[in-house]
Amino acid sequence: MTAVELKNLDKVFWPKEGFTKGDVVRYYERMSSLILPYLRGRPMVLVRHPNGIKGASFFQKNVASIHLPSFVKTVRIRAKSTGRDVHYIVCSNKATLLYLANLGCIELHVWGSRTAKLRCPTYMVIDLDPGGNAFADVAAVARETRKVIAAAGGTSLVKTSGKRGVHVYVPLRPIYDFDEVRSVARLVAELVHRRMPKLTSVSPRLSARRHKVYLDCARNGFGQTTVAPYSLRAFAKATISTPLDWRELTAGCSPARYHVRSMARRVRMKGDLWEAAMRKPNSLRKLEAALRAMALQSKKAAVSNRVRR
């Protein structure tokens, strides 16, 4: 592997727990073979915490002004809003992963598509934002989301966000554009909301979703990012966005269980729970047709119930 210059490894990044920048580097070095498949070919938005989780942080899309080592690859993408080129880092090797850790990138945020087909994501994602709700509520909404997708003939995966939320993924072949994928994600969200109207919201307005779990579909957009599986989070206990078996997502589940000190043992015991499933993509067209039929049936049932009353 190309040598990576690492500096200030003793700098404390988590003051309460005492975890250092060196702990971040060591985690990504140990887990590189597991993490890299979820990063390869994907543009990244850097979230840098040069002084740890209590210090100032900043997002960085464009790295054109940084003198990068030769092993760090980038992709140039024209920004629709400005018409200017943005140079994104693409992390496809271990050296780049450690280079990012050295920059203070505790978290790894990636596009849903790869450079080979930038406008076609390889998955659909629904981000369950807890608002003020307990994690048990988020887990319940995630399980209902799985049921809706399964009823439409689809398969889904689940991971903790690494903070208080949950991400539900649906693997796809990269042949559908982001607008198509987001439209289907909204169908799923609306069906879940109809089943759980008191607990969930599909409104992006904060005032409309207080004390409700928000079914966020906005991550299914060109240039939008989601934190990668196995990424550390700049959060208490150095938690990790962790792929789960659906059976683990119970009312008693807690994202705090999955952190920098527990992940190596978990992976030794369970391996990568997503590896096989990500190689079995869903048909978005079949999923969409089934979801639309379910939505129509749901509307008819609602009208029938109103008439009876």
Side-chain angles (χ1 to χ4, degrees):
M1 186 189 75
T2 305
V4 182
E5 185 179 7
L6 303 172
K7 298 180 179 179
N8 303 318
L9 297 183
D10 293 333
K11 181 182 284 189
V12 176
F13 270 17
W14 280 265
K16 183 177 179 179
E17 295 85 356
F19 297 142
T20 65
K21 180 180 178 180
D23 289 315
V24 174
V25 170
R26 284 185 286 273
Y27 170 75
Y28 283 128
E29 184 171 28
R30 288 195 305 268
M31 302 289 286
S32 60
S33 62
L34 208 67
I35 296 170
L36 282 170
Y38 298 102
L39 307 180
R40 284 194 180 101
R42 300 184 188 276
M44 302 184 71
V45 174
L46 309 185
V47 185
R48 297 177 61 178
H49 293 78
N51 294 303
I53 68 169
K54 297 298 183 182
S57 63
F58 60 97
F59 285 80
Q60 185 171 16
K61 291 183 180 181
N62 198 352
V63 296
S65 62
I66 301 179
H67 179 69
L68 299 170
S70 60
F71 57 79
V72 177
K73 306 305 178 184
T74 63
V75 61
R76 185 175 61 186
I77 302 171
R78 182 65 57 90
K80 186 177 180 180
S81 58
T82 64
R84 297 177 180 176
D85 288 339
V86 178
H87 296 252
Y88 291 86
I89 282 180
V90 179
C91 182
S92 296
N93 55 59
K94 186 176 179 179
T96 301
L97 182 59
L98 299 185
Y99 173 78
L100 293 173
N102 190 63
L103 286 182
C105 296
I106 294 172
E107 304 183 349
L108 306 172
H109 293 252
V110 294
W111 283 36
S113 61
R114 294 190 172 97
T115 55
K117 287 193 173 181
L118 274 174
R119 299 196 174 275
C120 298
T122 63
Y123 52 76
M124 177 175 76
V125 60
I126 298 177
D127 180 1
L128 303 183
D129 183 342
N133 293 73
F135 189 76
D137 292 333
V138 184
V141 175
R143 292 193 299 271
E144 197 63 37
T145 303
R146 182 197 187 196
K147 289 179 183 177
V148 166
I149 294 166
T155 58
S156 58
L157 307 171
V158 66
K159 70 180 178 74
T160 66
S161 70
K163 292 188 176 180
R164 298 178 55 247
V166 162
H167 298 151
V168 178
Y169 278 49
V170 177
L172 300 171
R173 290 174 62 200
I175 58 175
Y176 317 100
D177 66 33
F178 278 101
D179 289 342
E180 293 175 291
V181 173
R182 185 168 59 244
S183 176
V184 175
R186 285 173 178 159
L187 278 174
V188 174
E190 287 165 4
L191 282 165
V192 174
H193 177 55
R194 287 177 193 171
R195 294 183 179 196
M196 309 177 86
K198 293 182 179 179
L199 183 57
T200 65
S201 174
V202 292
S203 173
R205 292 185 296 111
L206 284 171
S207 60
R209 53 185 170 95
R210 288 197 182 101
H211 310 299
K212 291 189 175 183
V213 177
Y214 176 41
L215 293 143
D216 186 1
C217 302
R219 301 297 175 190
N220 302 288
F222 185 79
Q224 295 296 311
T225 63
T226 307
V227 68
Y230 302 106
S231 171
L232 282 163
R233 301 306 305 266
F235 199 59
K237 296 186 179 181
T239 48
I240 290 165
S241 184
T242 305
L244 302 177
D245 185 302
W246 276 106
R247 291 170 294 186
E248 295 180 284
L249 195 66
T250 63
C253 179
S254 169
R257 293 179 183 174
Y258 311 110
H259 52 77
V260 72
R261 291 293 189 235
S262 67
M263 191 53 53
R265 181 173 181 272
R266 174 179 172 82
V267 169
R268 281 197 303 272
M269 294 176 63
K270 295 180 177 291
D272 181 5
L273 295 176
W274 280 22
E275 183 181 14
M278 288 296 278
R279 294 198 298 266
K280 299 176 181 177
N282 292 264
S283 166
L284 191 73
R285 290 287 173 264
K286 291 180 180 179
L287 195 61
E288 181 179 22
L291 289 166
R292 291 196 182 282
M294 290 164 62
L296 182 60
Q297 186 177 18
S298 176
K299 286 180 181 177
K300 287 180 177 178
V303 170
S304 177
N305 288 336
R306 285 199 296 270
V307 169
R308 288 196 195 100
R309 289 198 295 268

